[in-house]
Amino acid sequence: MSRYLKENYQALEEYTPGEQPKDGEYIKLNTNESPFPPAPSVVEALKGEDVEKLRLYSDPTMSVLKGKLANLYGVKDENIYLSNGSDDILNFAFMAFGQDGAVFPEITYGFYSVFAELHGIGYECVPLREDFTVDYKDYLKRDKLVVIANPNAPTGDMRPLWEIEEIIKSNPDNVVVIDEAYVDFGGESAYPLIDKYDNLLVVRTFSKSRCMAGARLGYAIASKGIISDLEKLKYSTNPYNINRLTATLGEATVDAEEYYQEKCKEIMSVREYTKERLEAMGFLVLSSKANFLFAKHNKINGEKLYLELKARHILVRHFTNDKIKNFNRITIGTKEQMDKLLEATQEILKGETI
Ligand code: PMP
């Protein structure tokens, strides 16, 4: 740290992204990426001339991509905001709407507390229920920015839409952010409620169900007012927040919706298969509507299992937080990848009983 850094950033605890190893081939089940490539039409969408055109700025209004997404969801262009990954939108949400403080679950996406700290926002972390689910009643009439990942991460718990609506309805003077990074894997989106509630901000991403984490593309669906607030922050920080290549790939992705729906179905079916197999080995596996499972075994601690799998070139995500340190979050890959994980896990567990 240099002596020039502003005092309020000095104690900031940064977010720790999952490992992206460079020391060889891994089965990567640690950052909830898709095991599938983008649709063939997306791969073909980039042409040499797109690279030549990189000398020009991208369209700051992103009107083509906005129009396509608006059409896909049956909303207006004015209800869509696009960004360089959904983390960027979450950052803006805290920056723009956190004036009364924020509230979110104690076990959830680790970036929320980082954004709150970054913007000097007081925040409250509400414990989950015993079974690691979110109790919607904890978020009623809070008069703060409410942030809920639905499905939640790293647990995979999905709250029904009526519970989400209760939260939105009971906090009319504050924005309620529903982070739907994982909603396409069996969840129900809250976006149809944007016409009814002008305080709802739905945040989504192309990183998971649309197989494009590396392109960095996120979007929000909300009332016209909230979208114009986000645009205001964009035009005050980085108007060209999406590069030309990503915009082209994003447009082709929306056009290939069927391919992605198929891939989501495949992930959901491999998820249930993996859950059953892990349970048969004695794991406690939380019910998940995301592209990952959260699991623990009472014969081996979470960190040891993570390290043993890593030694076999299989990466899962381990968190050090006391309440979840015996769990690992396992991204759903292809069936072949999951079979390798299951085989390795079986072998590791055998070693534990000796
Ligand atoms: N929300 C949640 C709950 C996540 O797990 C992630 C991925 N780490 C994100 C948002 C951010 O995704 P991205 O910035 O790639 O859109």
Side-chain angles (χ1 to χ4, degrees), residues 86-132:
S86 62
D87 281 338
D88 234 26
I89 303 173
L90 295 167
N91 178 35
F92 276 6
F94 278 87
M95 194 194 273
F97 308 120
Q99 65 273 23
D100 299 325
V103 57
F104 42 83
E106 179 185 34
I107 294 168
T108 190
Y109 184 34
F111 232 137
Y112 302 156
S113 55
V114 178
F115 289 136
E117 300 273 351
L118 178 69
H119 299 298
I121 294 164
Y123 61 97
E124 190 187 328
C125 295
V126 181
L128 297 179
R129 289 187 280 217
E130 285 269 300
D131 62 356
F132 292 92

Side-chain angles (χ1 to χ4, degrees), residues 66 163 226 345:
K66 233 182 217 191
E163 291 186 8
I226 286 188
T345 305

Side-chain angles (χ1 to χ4, degrees), residues 227-241:
I227 296 299
S228 61
D229 298 340
L230 296 173
E231 295 283 358
K232 192 182 183 86
L233 293 188
K234 176 180 102 168
Y235 281 101
S236 308
T237 50
N238 183 8
Y240 309 106
N241 64 344

Side-chain angles (χ1 to χ4, degrees), residues 15 85-87 90 109 112 149 153 179 181-182 205 207-208 216:
Y15 174 73
S86 62
D87 281 338
L90 295 167
Y109 184 34
Y112 302 156
D179 179 352
Y182 302 105
T205 179
S207 295
K208 319 291 178 185
R216 314 302 303 127

